Amino acid sequence: MNQRATETNLNHEEFEQLKTMYVDTIVDSMSSKDLYAYVYDDMTDFMNKLTYNEAINEVKYTLDEEMLEEFIKQIRGKI
């Protein structure tokens, strides 16, 4: 019995491999400019969904408290 690939149910491991292959192919086909735009948009969307405290903590813990303070100084024009 010949089945087309699209007619075959994938098990969990095969499905994970399919997703990985898809992502690899899409990312490999993107230019540096496209990748930058994608990441920028994704990070902007992520930050826009955070509360005030979550956003402050995200900056503090992803970068560090010193960088958070630098950003705040720049925003307030103290640099």
Side-chain angles (χ1 to χ4, degrees):
M1 173 190 283
N2 287 335
Q3 284 187 317
R4 297 172 53 101
T6 56
E7 297 170 352
T8 303
N9 290 329
L10 299 175
N11 64 35
H12 177 73
E13 182 180 321
E14 292 168 334
F15 183 57
E16 292 302 313
Q17 289 176 7
L18 173 69
K19 292 188 292 185
T20 298
M21 292 171 77
Y22 171 77
V23 170
D24 287 345
T25 301
I26 296 300
V27 171
D28 286 346
S29 71
M30 297 174 88
S31 68
S32 295
K33 185 177 179 180
D34 291 337
L35 282 169
Y36 178 87
Y38 184 85
V39 171
Y40 187 90
D41 291 345
D42 188 61
M43 290 296 300
T44 299
D45 185 51
F46 170 73
M47 291 298 288
N48 285 337
K49 291 178 181 176
L50 299 178
T51 65
Y52 177 88
N53 287 334
E54 290 171 335
I56 295 295
N57 286 333
E58 180 66 22
V59 174
K60 187 188 312 184
Y61 297 127
T62 301
L63 302 175
D64 60 32
E65 196 160 347
E66 186 176 311
M67 185 63 78
L68 173 62
E69 290 174 16
E70 281 298 314
F71 288 165
I72 293 170
K73 286 178 186 177
Q74 287 181 34
I75 292 164
R76 292 183 173 162
K78 294 185 178 180
I79 290 186

